[in-house]
Amino acid sequence: MNMKVLVSLLVIASVVNAQEQNPPLTLEEAAKLYKPTYKTNFSTDMTAFMQNSPIFNGLGFVYVNPNGVSPKITETVTFNTNTIKVPVTTTTIVDVPYTYTVPVTTTTTVTVPYTYTVPVTTSWTTTSVVRTEVVTPYSVISNSGNFNLTAGVSPVIQSTVGDVVNMAMASPHSLPKSENYQLVGTDAPGYWVVNGAPTSAADVRAAIGSKGSNQPFDPWGAGAVDLSGWTTTGTSSSSVTNVVTNPADYVDGNGVLHRGRTVTVSTYSSVEDRTIVRLYSWNDSNGNGIVDDTDQVQILQGGRFTGEATSVDTIESGERVTYREETVTEHHTATHQEERTGTREETRTETHDEERTGVRQEERTETHEEERTETTKQVTQNKKNVWKFSFSPILSLDVQTPTKITSLDSQFVVPTVSEGVSRKFIEPASQNKGFLVEKKIAVTGVVGGNVVAQYSSWKPGTAITLGMAPIAGTEKTYRTVVKTGYEAENVSVPSVPSKLADLKKLKVGDSLSFAQTGGVMFSAGVAYVAMNVGVNYVAFGQWKTEVQRVGDSIYYVNRTALKLNNFGASIGTTLTVAYTANQFKSTDSQFSWLFNAADPQGAKALENFVFKGIALDAQKVVDSNGEASVMKVTKQENIARGAMRTISMGVPYVTASWGKGRINSTQLTQYFPDNTLGDANYSVYLKARDSRMFNWIENSTTAFSAGRYFVRDVNTNDLQDSGYMGQFIVSYTDTHTKGSELQRVVNQLVALTGMHKELYVKVPDMKNIGYSTLAFSLNFDKSATDFLMALATDRQASRKLERDAQVFLNGYIRSNGFNRAQNSSDQDPIKMCGTVYNLDISVCIRQAQDATLHATGEAIVNLRDMKLALDRGDRKAFTVAYADFGKSLTSSPFTFQAILSAAVAGTAGKGVTSSYSVSGTRIKNYSLTPSWDAALVNEVKPLVQ
């Protein structure tokens, strides 16, 4: 979770808690929510902007025509006249007689006898009878059953004829039973068995009146009228016997052969408890002798009857064989050759030579010299090098609409080193515990051009470029809390407000920020085809307003004016790979107010400030009771200077960047409610990785932020608070995450710090977590910083720190089974060999020892520099040295563990604090606050998985 989201969660939680108070939130209480702290000034905003924006990713790069520029060619023509002798040839034609021979051909026709063969075809027909066996598989199932009622009782229930008819017609085909029914061994076929199943209500009425009025039926003997089928409710002493036989084949009366017969006889017997509904008697209520629907009847229902049930199921299967005879008529043909004679005419040709005479013409040539005058032309080419200028447009439209949805379903863990983490896994989030939703819409446009200059004497494809492009954009961010995942997925960003009614649409705790950006970029460089080396300068500004509804009528408004100047040098290929070094300076001014819109003057002041930019004197705006309706909260001035080196690759909207650098800043913050002024210096060393595929944006940052601050009373200049601190931060966000990707980030954090026991947690193996974030911070307060500086300046203590780092390394090697002789290890949780260092175990251990010794030594030197700067009162040098210490701290996990152990021991576990959270859209907000047991801090423990 980046710091912005974390702060948002805290502010929203405070706002909601404040609204639960009685009486409602006042301006003074609301102002306390925004009281500044000077413990850290770290933010990923600047680095994310530097890497994501196309402004800093080679817009000045151009493609140069590899054919180059041709020089200007001019020609000089000279004419020369000369007298020369030339040979002249005369040709004449004469007739010459000659003798020649020609061939003469004579053709004659003669009759010649010959013999030839012709095919003769003979046809005949045959008839035959074909007998075909037809085999049909069959299976015949037959069954028989018997139920011998031996005991039972049933109550008599009153009903009507209409209800009885409906009851019987509900399932008429179940009334004639398929099994034999006996009463104590005597056959007792029911009414429907004798008369067939009823097909209409008239059949049922006939059965009811068959005994006459008030004449009870024998409910269990022959002729009983059933109103439902038997229902078995229980069985006992059940048995099933299966007998399989293979009787011989036989031919039935139709001449069909039955073969391959298998007969399976399954015999079932059981004592069953059954229930049934039966007619007991009919009462002709109106005495008309007709069975009417309203007549009363008595039925037996709800009783239990016991009897012996038997059934025999017989299954015979096999093949039925029949024969089919067909008469087949076939037609045959045969062909043979017959020899015949005849005559034909043949042409015969004879050739002989004949001698003939004729005349032919021949050319005869004679040559002599003649004098002539000749004029010649001489052309001379002149080459002149020239410049060629062309225009290459700079066009970019960058649109970002990321959505960040974080579950508010919390999972808090508070472990210590001695007890460990009580829960090692993150649980999936509930869909109704609430979600923090942040939606952003940012559009940045760049329109400009490059002038490309080529000279004809240069190597083809070489050029110099000069470019300029104005920059303009808008940005809007909306943050709210909703109850369900469905609401979170469907949150829409409100329009930029233009009147007070628009602000009143925000819920309590919602915030909306909107900004306008503008600037200009200049670039210059040398290019060869697609390779570019150049510099660019960007002047950039942003005017941003943030509005948060703190209470029913209280609004917090923060306005920021940002100016950024960035100078960068780049080398790379157009739209593919680039290395960039940036030097930048940014200044921003922030001021914030609280408005009570319940008061008309406060509402008017809010409208003037947000929509017209008019700031009123806060002391003059009071309500009818004389209480302030507007309160000035903070005024802040920031100046930041930084240097970043970045390698980036990709094409627009699909990029990946890796960068590192340092940012130094100064900050003046006036908090008006208590009239204090904070003066702070910060220095941050950071490494960042950023990738983007359209709106899928992933950012990972590792940083160390150092700060030195003083807080004074504005009126008296009395010092109220001062201090210094260092903060190690790991931040990761991804708008579209798999569980395996987030688990990889957790593992990398554990490998970087060695804090497996405190920080390792199992992430659910989900294909789509949605938005996810991880945030870890380790804070060294003033007491821990003082102890580490004192340790570094003591030669004996600093040597022990170096030994402790090596002890952590050696413990890791032993506990994980590193074997130099066999070049193997049982495990390597942080992937030390093969990823960080050489794959060879011996070389890897030696490199790890050297790196740990170097990192620990550098950290000690940085701590000594911090002490010297602190003693001479140089705040900037102190924070720069402290940031360098953070760089050394993260160069080796074993150095990290040794320094952390020393800081905890030196302050009895109170000078080092930490926070750790992993959260996302579909997982719980896992929050961990590690603490250290002072009794265990001096125990050097190896890094184990």
Side-chain angles (χ1 to χ4, degrees):
M1 179 180 295
N2 63 32
M3 302 306 295
K4 268 195 162 187
V5 175
L6 182 59
V7 170
S8 298
L9 285 171
L10 294 174
V11 170
I12 289 173
S14 301
V15 169
V16 173
N17 179 68
Q19 293 307 304
E20 294 176 353
Q21 298 178 1
N22 189 17
L25 192 70
T26 65
L27 290 181
E28 290 75 10
E29 293 168 338
K32 294 178 182 179
L33 300 175
Y34 302 96
K35 185 174 183 178
T37 62
Y38 305 93
K39 305 304 181 184
T40 179
N41 192 38
F42 175 75
S43 171
T44 60
D45 286 352
M46 179 65 69
T47 57
F49 174 76
M50 297 283 289
Q51 296 170 14
N52 273 329
S53 175
I55 299 170
F56 301 93
N57 280 329
L59 282 176
F61 289 172
V62 297
Y63 175 79
V64 180
N65 188 334
N67 296 327
V69 181
S70 300
K72 183 178 180 181
I73 305 297
T74 59
E75 294 183 345
T76 302
V77 181
T78 305
F79 295 93
N80 300 310
T81 303
N82 300 305
T83 301
I84 60 174
K85 290 183 178 181
V86 297
V88 178
T89 301
T90 304
T91 301
T92 57
I93 299 175
V94 297
D95 293 331
V96 179
Y98 73 98
T99 302
Y100 61 93
T101 301
V102 297
V104 178
T105 300
T106 303
T107 301
T108 59
T109 301
V110 297
T111 300
V112 179
Y114 76 98
T115 303
Y116 62 94
T117 303
V118 297
V120 177
T121 300
T122 305
S123 300
W124 73 94
T125 301
T126 61
T127 302
S128 61
V129 178
V130 178
R131 188 181 187 190
T132 305
E133 182 180 86
V134 179
V135 179
T136 305
Y138 74 93
S139 178
V140 179
I141 301 175
S142 61
N143 55 62
S144 62
N146 184 73
F147 181 68
N148 187 13
L149 179 63
T150 59
V153 65
S154 176
V156 177
I157 306 297
Q158 294 292 333
S159 183
T160 65
V161 171
D163 291 339
V164 168
V165 169
N166 292 335
M167 188 182 304
M169 291 308 295
S171 181
H173 296 291
S174 67
L175 302 180
K177 298 174 289 298
S178 61
E179 61 184 357
N180 294 328
Y181 169 66
Q182 295 179 331
L183 179 62
V184 195
T186 303
D187 289 339
Y191 179 88
W192 303 116
V193 174
V194 176
N195 298 283
T199 60
S200 64
D203 293 343
V204 180
R205 294 189 184 95
I208 295 172
S210 61
K211 286 282 188 173
S213 176
N214 295 321
Q215 297 299 320
F217 288 75
D218 181 359
W220 312 118
V225 178
D226 293 337
L227 301 179
S228 71
W230 285 103
T231 300
T232 301
T233 60
T235 61
S236 62
S237 302
S238 300
S239 65
V240 179
T241 304
N242 293 318
V243 178
V244 181
T245 59
N246 298 103
D249 299 347
Y250 75 94
V251 178
D252 62 15
N254 297 321
V256 178
L257 173 62
H258 294 251
R259 69 183 182 189
R261 301 166 61 209
T262 299
V263 178
T264 302
V265 179
S266 178
T267 303
Y268 165 82
S269 65
S270 175
V271 176
E272 294 185 353
D273 294 333
R274 296 188 179 186
T275 62
I276 195 169
V277 180
R278 279 185 168 171
L279 185 65
Y280 182 70
S281 68
W282 161 57
N283 179 24
D284 186 5
S285 303
N286 52 19
N288 61 0
I290 299 175
V291 181
D292 296 321
D293 286 346
T294 58
D295 289 348
Q296 294 293 314
V297 292
Q298 292 181 311
I299 59 174
L300 301 178
Q301 182 178 354
R304 178 179 175 183
F305 307 99
T306 302
E308 299 174 353
T310 59
S311 65
V312 178
D313 295 327
T314 304
I315 302 175
E316 178 180 341
S317 61
E319 295 178 342
R320 292 191 180 100
V321 182
T322 58
Y323 297 93
R324 182 175 66 249
E325 292 184 350
E326 296 178 343
T327 301
V328 180
T329 301
E330 297 180 328
H331 299 280
H332 308 273
T333 60
T335 303
H336 63 278
Q337 301 290 329
E338 288 187 1
E339 189 176 87
R340 297 182 183 179
T341 60
T343 60
R344 64 170 178 253
E345 290 184 344
E346 292 183 357
T347 301
R348 296 182 180 179
T349 303
E350 294 180 355
T351 302
H352 63 278
D353 292 332
E354 289 185 0
E355 188 177 89
R356 298 180 182 179
T357 61
V359 178
R360 64 170 176 247
Q361 292 181 331
E362 293 183 358
E363 287 185 352
R364 297 191 179 175
T365 304
E366 296 179 355
T367 302
H368 62 280
E369 290 186 345
E370 292 183 357
E371 286 188 355
R372 295 184 180 178
T373 300
E374 181 181 61
T375 300
T376 60
K377 182 174 70 172
Q378 182 179 358
V379 179
T380 304
Q381 289 188 339
N382 303 304
K383 182 185 296 184
K384 180 181 179 181
N385 288 321
V386 295
W387 288 92
K388 180 182 180 181
F389 298 92
S390 60
F391 178 79
S392 176
I394 298 177
L395 300 173
S396 175
L397 179 63
D398 184 35
V399 180
Q400 295 189 31
T401 58
T403 299
K404 301 177 181 179
I405 302 175
T406 306
S407 172
L408 299 180
D409 190 0
S410 300
Q411 183 178 346
F412 294 102
V413 183
V414 186
T416 64
V417 169
S418 57
E419 295 176 355
V421 181
S422 59
R423 305 183 76 176
K424 288 283 189 177
F425 59 89
I426 300 177
E427 301 171 355
S430 171
Q431 290 297 304
N432 56 7
K433 292 297 182 66
F435 294 87
L436 172 66
V437 182
E438 179 184 303
K439 278 202 170 185
K440 177 181 178 181
I441 300 175
V443 180
T444 304
V446 181
V447 179
N450 274 304
V451 176
V452 182
Q454 294 177 276
Y455 194 60
S456 57
S457 65
W458 294 348
K459 184 177 180 179
T462 304
I464 58 176
T465 64
L466 293 172
M468 184 189 77
I471 305 165
T474 63
E475 179 182 309
K476 186 168 56 174
T477 303
Y478 176 57
R479 189 174 296 111
T480 184
V481 172
V482 297
K483 293 183 178 179
T484 66
Y486 177 80
E487 293 178 273
E489 293 290 345
N490 292 277
V491 167
S492 59
V493 180
S495 302
V496 174
S498 59
K499 54 186 181 297
L500 182 60
D502 295 335
L503 297 181
K504 290 184 177 180
K505 294 178 181 178
L506 298 176
K507 304 194 302 290
V508 174
D510 285 3
S511 67
L512 176 65
S513 66
F514 43 94
Q516 298 288 333
T517 58
V520 64
M521 181 195 74
F522 300 93
S523 64
V526 179
Y528 176 70
V529 191
M531 178 64 71
N532 296 265
V533 178
V535 296
N536 59 39
Y537 172 76
V538 176
F540 187 80
Q542 184 184 67
W543 186 256
K544 182 178 181 180
T545 301
E546 179 181 3
V547 181
Q548 183 173 22
R549 187 170 185 178
V550 184
D552 289 337
S553 59
I554 296 179
Y555 295 84
Y556 170 79
V557 182
N558 183 74
R559 181 157 285 168
T560 304
L562 169 70
K563 294 180 180 179
L564 172 68
N565 296 285
N566 179 82
F567 179 80
S570 305
I571 180 171
T573 58
T574 300
L575 300 178
T576 307
V577 180
Y579 173 78
T580 305
N582 289 315
Q583 298 283 342
F584 64 88
K585 175 185 177 182
S586 71
T587 61
D588 69 77
S589 299
Q590 300 182 31
F591 46 97
S592 61
W593 300 74
L594 281 166
F595 297 86
N596 187 351
D599 179 69
Q601 293 191 69
K604 184 64 176 178
L606 175 61
E607 286 186 309
N608 288 335
F609 186 69
V610 174
F611 307 126
K612 300 178 182 179
I614 301 175
L616 300 178
D617 186 350
Q619 305 302 323
K620 295 180 180 180
V621 182
V622 297
D623 61 14
S624 57
N625 296 322
E627 297 181 356
S629 298
V630 179
M631 176 178 288
K632 186 184 294 186
V633 182
T634 60
K635 179 181 179 182
Q636 189 176 93
E637 301 288 339
N638 291 284
I639 300 176
R641 291 178 173 86
M644 293 288 296
R645 287 176 172 82
T646 305
I647 296 176
S648 59
M649 59 190 302
V651 295
Y653 303 107
V654 181
T655 61
S657 302
W658 298 263
K660 61 181 179 179
R662 181 192 301 276
I663 301 173
N664 299 318
S665 64
T666 59
Q667 181 186 97
L668 288 175
T669 304
Q670 183 174 358
Y671 182 61
F672 291 95
D674 62 6
N675 213 21
T676 57
L677 178 66
D679 182 7
N681 289 78
Y682 300 98
S683 184
V684 179
Y685 169 77
L686 59 90
K687 294 188 293 184
R689 178 179 59 83
D690 179 84
S691 62
R692 175 187 179 190
M693 180 180 292
F694 300 98
N695 275 326
W696 292 21
I697 300 174
E698 179 184 14
N699 179 268
S700 177
T701 303
T702 301
F704 191 92
S705 174
R708 180 81 167 100
Y709 67 92
F710 297 89
V711 182
R712 298 180 182 273
D713 186 278
V714 174
N715 297 323
T716 64
N717 203 33
D718 292 339
L719 184 65
Q720 295 190 355
D721 188 19
S722 67
Y724 38 84
M725 65 282 158
Q727 183 181 44
F728 169 66
I729 304 130
V730 175
S731 173
Y732 171 82
T733 62
D734 191 352
T735 56
H736 294 75
T737 321
K738 296 179 180 179
S740 58
E741 293 173 341
L742 188 56
Q743 185 68 64
R744 173 178 53 81
V745 177
V746 172
N747 296 343
Q748 290 173 349
L749 174 61
V750 171
L752 179 64
T753 62
M755 299 172 65
H756 185 280
K757 192 170 186 178
E758 293 86 355
L759 304 184
Y760 178 79
V761 64
K762 180 66 177 175
V763 180
D765 188 12
M766 301 170 66
K767 291 185 178 180
N768 182 14
I769 291 178
Y771 171 72
S772 71
T773 176
L774 177 147
F776 171 69
S777 66
L778 183 67
N779 307 297
F780 298 92
D781 70 1
K782 183 176 181 299
S783 64
T785 306
D786 289 338
F787 176 80
L788 290 175
M789 289 189 296
L791 181 149
T793 54
D794 184 286
R795 186 173 299 275
Q796 184 176 358
S798 60
R799 288 180 177 175
K800 181 180 183 302
L801 181 64
E802 292 179 329
R803 290 195 301 272
D804 286 348
Q806 294 295 327
V807 168
F808 276 107
L809 170 60
N810 294 333
Y812 178 81
I813 293 171
R814 287 194 303 272
S815 62
N816 291 293
F818 282 71
N819 190 316
R820 290 181 173 91
Q822 298 181 3
N823 192 30
S824 64
S825 63
D826 296 338
Q827 57 184 354
D828 188 1
I830 67 173
K831 308 300 181 186
M832 182 176 77
C833 296
T835 301
V836 181
Y837 306 116
N838 194 283
L839 184 62
D840 183 88
I841 296 297
S842 297
V843 177
C844 171
I845 293 175
R846 185 171 64 253
Q847 290 176 339
Q849 291 170 338
D850 293 342
T852 301
L853 182 63
H854 177 75
T856 310
E858 286 294 313
I860 293 171
V861 172
N862 300 142
L863 289 167
R864 291 171 181 172
D865 292 341
M866 290 165 54
K867 178 63 175 173
L868 292 175
L870 186 65
D871 291 342
R872 65 174 183 268
D874 191 339
R875 293 192 291 173
K876 180 178 179 181
F878 173 80
T879 56
V880 170
Y882 208 161
D884 289 337
F885 164 77
K887 179 181 178 181
S888 304
L889 177 70
T890 58
S891 297
S892 167
F894 311 108
T895 298
F896 188 101
Q897 287 188 293
I899 291 176
L900 174 60
S901 176
V904 172
T907 61
K910 301 184 184 303
V912 182
T913 59
S914 179
S915 65
Y916 178 46
S917 67
V918 183
S919 59
T921 304
R922 296 179 175 86
I923 59 175
K924 285 189 175 182
N925 190 342
Y926 179 90
S927 298
L928 171 67
T929 305
S931 60
W932 285 272
D933 188 339
L936 298 177
V937 292
N938 282 316
E939 182 181 348
V940 178
K941 295 185 177 182
L943 178 66
V944 296
Q945 187 174 18

